[in-house]
Amino acid sequence: MKRCHHLCRLLPLWLSLVILSFSHSSYGDNVTYDHRALVINGVRRVLISGSIHYPRSTPEMWPDLIQKAKDGGLDVVETYVFWNLHEPVQGQYDFEGRKDIVKFVKTVAEAGLYVHLRIGPYVCAEWNYGGFPLWLHFIPGIKFRTDNEPFKTEMQRFTAKIVDMMKQENLYASQGGPIILSQIENEYGNIDSAYGAAAQRYIQWSASMALSLDTGVPWVMCQQSDAPDPIINTCNGFYCDQFSPNSNNKPKMWTENWSGWFLSFGGSAPYRPPQDLAFAVARFFQRGGTFQNYYMYQGGTNFGRTTGGPFIATSYDYDAPIDEYGLLNQPKWGHLRDLHKVIKKCEPALIATDPAYTSLGQNLEAHVYKTSSGACAAFLANINTQDATVKFNGKTYQLPGWSVSILPDCKNVVYNTAQINSQETTSEMRYLSSISEGTNQPLSRLSSSGWSYIKEPVGISKADAFTRKGLVEQINTTADASDYLWYSISFNITMGEPWLISGEQTLLHVESLGHVLRAFVNGYYIGGAMGSADSTKISLSKLIILDKGKNTIDLLSATVGLQNYGAFFDLSGAGVTGPVTLSANGVTFDLSPYVWTYQIGLKGEDMSLFDDSDDSASLWLSDSTLPTNVPLVWYKTQFQAPAGNDPVAIDFTGMGKGEAWINGQSIGRFWPTYTAPLSGCSDSCNYKGAYSSSKCLKKCGKPSQQLYHVPRSFLKEGANTMVLFEEEGGDPTKISFATRHTGSLCAHVSEMHPAPVNFEVYPELAVSKQKLGPMVHVTCPGPDQLINEVKFASFGTPQGTCGSYSHGKCSSTNALSVVQQACVGMNSCSVPVSTKAFGDPCRGVTKSLAIEATCSS
């Protein structure tokens, strides 16, 4: 193991840290903290963590996701605990399948990683109702997240339930398990002022309650500057380098470094450049941080009706280092992996002392960690957006704008956050040509002959319908048992209302708190309206024609996830709260105060049509003409699972809005007709300068979400059943199946880049790292794959991005042949960025090497 001189002298300490990170004592670990770091068995630790939420993937995916997190340099996996998932009915618990949190924690432990268990039990997380079960709302006298006895009783009961489960399985570090941290409450400090003096009493109680559970590990509160001792207050945000804990005895910890941002239906897709994310991480460690967590490291999928918001999309990809499907998001994953390796090289110095600060100029900083034993690590930061040249310890260094250079020996730059050595990959969806069960039709388009259907009745169709005088709020009525609530009213037109004349146009006007509204008059669909993530409220106005005699107006109100954030978020309403009026001939009549009939949910939901049970088999129709582009239809078909192990997705182009089930398991809501705004996106986003969730956007003018993940474990050999409920109107024959693959491998490295961070990543290199210069390195995603083609190679001044590289004014004539010789037929290859390999096509100009290659099995 070749390392710089000071690391070799500190090898025993380094090895002890490595051993600690890959094993958990069967006799228990002692986890404490001091002002610098968490302390495990008497040793301060620099810990890199990442959030992976167990219910947003599947147990079959967990081992691979966790291994990729470990390979990416993580020490800790962080997850929330989702109360409404585990206790959907008061006193009735569910810890099966994707809800098996004990299995998840044990899977993390088997990989040799630690766990941070964020119990909350309020989680936010863009999760339905912030993770609270709806039954909580109906407890008499309850007020959420304040000094309220009914709430505190339930919060303590669930928190103790989770802690006891972990203790019974010996999962706390004090018992020899992987859990080294727990969290109580969540981001309460952002909104606690709204609760007045009771907020402080509640926080004090929360801390005392958590400590009384005797977990043997520290507790944290994020975004809580007044967290009582010994609770550690931590930071959440895009940047936390300026954060300081509320006591000099507590370490500087970052529980949520937002690796991207969430997607909303109707919104563009946010992404965060890897250079900026790495910059934020490096700045945090530069300025004294020792625990950093990516939120998210793998975002996953909001299956079923778990999304919050409202209007949070089914995909929770979050532009995380591992994508929704479980594939590496390159170059983000690789660039951060390299950063983690460098941080770990600096660990002996980081844990030994506080940093010494030196100004190198305006917005140019140096922080040095130096010990009496000779360990030294330096961070040089350029917080400007322009490149700079600085002098440090008598040497000159080039600092790209908005970047941090890390010098593990205080002399040599090993890593710069703006200079990416890691490969980039493109992802592609391959639409399938497999055969659909029983139809001999390609999966890429399922013909109408393969579908059967059931029409959902318009209006009231269930025996449990009820009447109320006036309009009711939806969430208090449905308790979120369904997205849907029918509002129905009937009336007669007689000669007694001369202003309201049958056969003439009448204006129907409906006001709703949201989220989606469908209106029907005498059984016919007249139109709909929807809110947005910015404003859920709806105002619908439609000209209608009423009949002589009896008329019925049916309004279908739908929620799209319940509010999950903000003070008193639990009191946010939904549904038709009025007024509902009819206007004609200058007269307006308000229907709101009259008697309405209500139905919670759909008849098809009560019949469990999505389960594909034999009880409903005879109800499905297979007419020669499939009803399409009409609202309120259940569709069913069968298909063969795509061959292989590649991740599967459904392209719902052609459908409107609804929910989809595969073999009885919901893959979530689909809504491809809700498109992003036309403006606000760009082909590239400058990583320089402070990031915000609206800075870097893509997919403008396109469906916010078009592809929907189907986990492999949802599929089976032979016939698979897909059931769709279409609310708005669509054509199921237009949907398509696809598998997700890595397309091209790309890399673009200049002569100014540092050498590879650690040549252990590049096993084909036999030379020591001290002899290496900048290199391009690419690896096929699968161990059995080989590079079959080099699509582009240019040494000189190449331009463009992966998939669209082009030669610049200066280009070596032999670049393609050199790269082909080094790479074709190999699983991975490394090529020096050097004039020795390519010649010098333009003297005096900084050159770079760009390549694009593909792999095949």
Side-chain angles (χ1 to χ4, degrees), residues 460-614:
I460 308 303
S461 61
K462 293 164 55 180
D464 59 358
F466 59 94
T467 59
R468 291 285 188 277
K469 189 174 182 180
L471 297 167
V472 300
E473 190 278 325
Q474 182 167 348
I475 299 170
N476 280 297
T477 304
T478 66
D480 199 39
S482 169
D483 281 357
Y484 300 104
L485 178 63
W486 280 105
Y487 296 70
S488 181
I489 190 169
S490 297
F491 53 90
N492 289 305
I493 294 182
T494 67
M495 295 302 292
E497 299 92 12
W499 63 273
L500 197 60
I501 302 173
S502 62
E504 292 190 5
Q505 286 189 331
T506 301
L507 180 67
L508 171 66
H509 180 77
V510 183
E511 293 286 339
S512 170
L513 294 178
H515 309 148
V516 178
L517 180 66
R518 311 287 175 198
F520 301 79
V521 175
N522 297 326
Y524 293 97
Y525 183 53
I526 63 162
M530 57 196 178
S532 69
D534 295 327
S535 176
T536 63
K537 292 184 178 180
I538 297 167
S539 181
L540 174 71
S541 294
K542 290 287 183 180
L543 288 172
I544 62 175
I545 302 293
L546 296 172
D547 296 336
K548 184 178 180 181
K550 183 179 179 181
N551 290 268
T552 299
I553 295 175
D554 295 301
L555 304 175
L556 180 62
S557 179
T559 53
V560 191
L562 303 189
Q563 190 77 29
N564 61 260
Y565 180 75
F568 309 106
F569 76 87
D570 51 299
L571 303 180
S572 298
V576 180
T577 52
V580 178
T581 61
L582 295 173
S583 299
N585 298 315
V587 178
T588 297
F589 186 74
D590 190 356
L591 297 172
S592 307
Y594 289 85
V595 174
W596 290 71
T597 303
Y598 296 95
Q599 175 182 300
I600 297 172
L602 307 171
K603 187 174 183 180
E605 289 178 312
D606 276 13
M607 297 169 63
S608 298
L609 295 181
F610 45 82
D611 278 347
D612 189 34
S613 63
D614 293 336

Side-chain angles (χ1 to χ4, degrees), residues 320-587:
I322 304 174
D323 74 11
E324 176 182 5
Y325 299 86
L327 302 179
L328 300 183
N329 177 11
Q330 296 279 36
K332 183 173 281 188
W333 182 90
H335 193 44
L336 295 175
R337 173 207 59 199
D338 292 348
L339 172 59
H340 303 156
K341 286 181 176 291
V342 178
I343 295 296
K344 290 297 183 178
K345 288 178 184 291
C346 299
E347 185 169 15
L350 295 181
I351 63 174
T353 184
D354 294 318
Y357 164 76
T358 302
S359 174
L360 303 177
Q362 185 174 4
N363 291 326
L364 299 167
E365 299 178 358
H367 287 76
V368 178
Y369 296 82
K370 190 172 184 179
T371 71
S372 59
S373 62
C376 188
F379 295 76
L380 311 182
N382 180 358
I383 314 170
N384 302 297
T385 57
Q386 302 298 316
D387 297 351
T389 301
V390 299
K391 287 216 166 185
F392 172 73
N393 283 353
K395 293 181 66 176
T396 300
Y397 296 89
Q398 302 297 321
L399 288 180
W402 202 255
S403 78
V404 177
S405 285
I406 304 177
L407 296 66
D409 60 356
C410 288
K411 297 177 183 178
N412 299 296
V413 175
V414 173
Y415 182 92
N416 179 272
T417 59
Q419 296 174 328
I420 298 177
N421 280 336
S422 173
Q423 71 182 28
E424 180 177 357
T425 58
T426 61
S427 295
E428 61 183 29
M429 303 304 297
R430 295 180 186 171
Y431 287 81
L432 303 180
S433 58
S434 302
I435 302 300
S436 173
E437 176 70 13
T439 65
N440 292 327
Q441 293 294 322
L443 272 175
S444 56
R445 287 290 185 270
L446 295 175
S447 77
S448 59
S449 62
W451 289 93
S452 55
Y453 70 93
I454 295 175
K455 290 187 176 181
E456 175 70 26
V458 172
I460 308 303
S461 61
K462 293 164 55 180
D464 59 358
F466 59 94
T467 59
R468 291 285 188 277
K469 189 174 182 180
L471 297 167
V472 300
E473 190 278 325
Q474 182 167 348
I475 299 170
N476 280 297
T477 304
T478 66
D480 199 39
S482 169
D483 281 357
Y484 300 104
L485 178 63
W486 280 105
Y487 296 70
S488 181
I489 190 169
S490 297
F491 53 90
N492 289 305
I493 294 182
T494 67
M495 295 302 292
E497 299 92 12
W499 63 273
L500 197 60
I501 302 173
S502 62
E504 292 190 5
Q505 286 189 331
T506 301
L507 180 67
L508 171 66
H509 180 77
V510 183
E511 293 286 339
S512 170
L513 294 178
H515 309 148
V516 178
L517 180 66
R518 311 287 175 198
F520 301 79
V521 175
N522 297 326
Y524 293 97
Y525 183 53
I526 63 162
M530 57 196 178
S532 69
D534 295 327
S535 176
T536 63
K537 292 184 178 180
I538 297 167
S539 181
L540 174 71
S541 294
K542 290 287 183 180
L543 288 172
I544 62 175
I545 302 293
L546 296 172
D547 296 336
K548 184 178 180 181
K550 183 179 179 181
N551 290 268
T552 299
I553 295 175
D554 295 301
L555 304 175
L556 180 62
S557 179
T559 53
V560 191
L562 303 189
Q563 190 77 29
N564 61 260
Y565 180 75
F568 309 106
F569 76 87
D570 51 299
L571 303 180
S572 298
V576 180
T577 52
V580 178
T581 61
L582 295 173
S583 299
N585 298 315
V587 178

Side-chain angles (χ1 to χ4, degrees), residues 562-794:
L562 303 189
Q563 190 77 29
N564 61 260
Y565 180 75
F568 309 106
F569 76 87
D570 51 299
L571 303 180
S572 298
V576 180
T577 52
V580 178
T581 61
L582 295 173
S583 299
N585 298 315
V587 178
T588 297
F589 186 74
D590 190 356
L591 297 172
S592 307
Y594 289 85
V595 174
W596 290 71
T597 303
Y598 296 95
Q599 175 182 300
I600 297 172
L602 307 171
K603 187 174 183 180
E605 289 178 312
D606 276 13
M607 297 169 63
S608 298
L609 295 181
F610 45 82
D611 278 347
D612 189 34
S613 63
D614 293 336
D615 295 341
S616 65
S618 62
L619 301 177
W620 291 93
L621 303 176
S622 301
D623 296 348
S624 57
T625 303
L626 184 73
T628 59
N629 300 313
V630 292
L632 307 185
V633 183
W634 294 84
Y635 297 103
K636 184 175 74 171
T637 194
Q638 290 190 321
F639 64 93
Q640 295 282 346
N645 296 313
D646 296 309
V648 178
I650 299 176
D651 184 335
F652 274 99
T653 298
M655 297 299 286
K657 176 185 178 293
E659 189 172 353
W661 294 262
I662 302 294
N663 296 322
Q665 299 194 71
S666 174
I667 63 170
R669 300 182 184 94
F670 60 83
W671 203 351
T673 54
Y674 207 163
T675 57
L678 294 174
S679 61
C681 298
S682 60
D683 293 335
S684 62
C685 181
N686 189 347
Y687 70 87
K688 297 178 181 179
Y691 179 79
S692 69
S693 60
S694 60
K695 179 180 179 181
C696 304
L697 302 172
K698 56 187 177 181
K699 296 179 65 175
C700 283
K702 297 179 180 179
S704 298
Q705 186 175 352
Q706 182 174 331
L707 295 162
Y708 295 77
H709 181 209
V710 181
R712 279 283 176 179
S713 60
F714 284 21
L715 302 171
K716 59 186 179 181
E717 291 186 11
N720 291 265
T721 300
M722 175 167 54
V723 175
L724 312 176
F725 174 66
E726 175 54 63
E727 168 194 324
E728 179 180 281
D731 185 349
T733 68
K734 293 182 178 179
I735 69 171
S736 358
F737 282 72
T739 54
R740 191 169 178 86
H741 299 261
T742 296
S744 292
L745 313 176
C746 296
H748 190 180
V749 176
S750 82
E751 294 176 308
M752 300 300 293
H753 278 52
V757 165
N758 192 330
F759 74 90
E760 293 166 359
V761 180
Y762 313 98
E764 70 276 14
L765 299 178
V767 295
S768 74
K769 184 177 184 311
Q770 281 85 351
K771 297 179 181 179
L772 291 181
M775 303 197 75
V776 160
H777 179 84
V778 292
T779 301
C780 293
D784 299 326
Q785 292 182 312
L786 300 176
I787 297 170
N788 66 327
E789 181 185 7
V790 177
K791 299 175 70 174
F792 180 89
S794 179

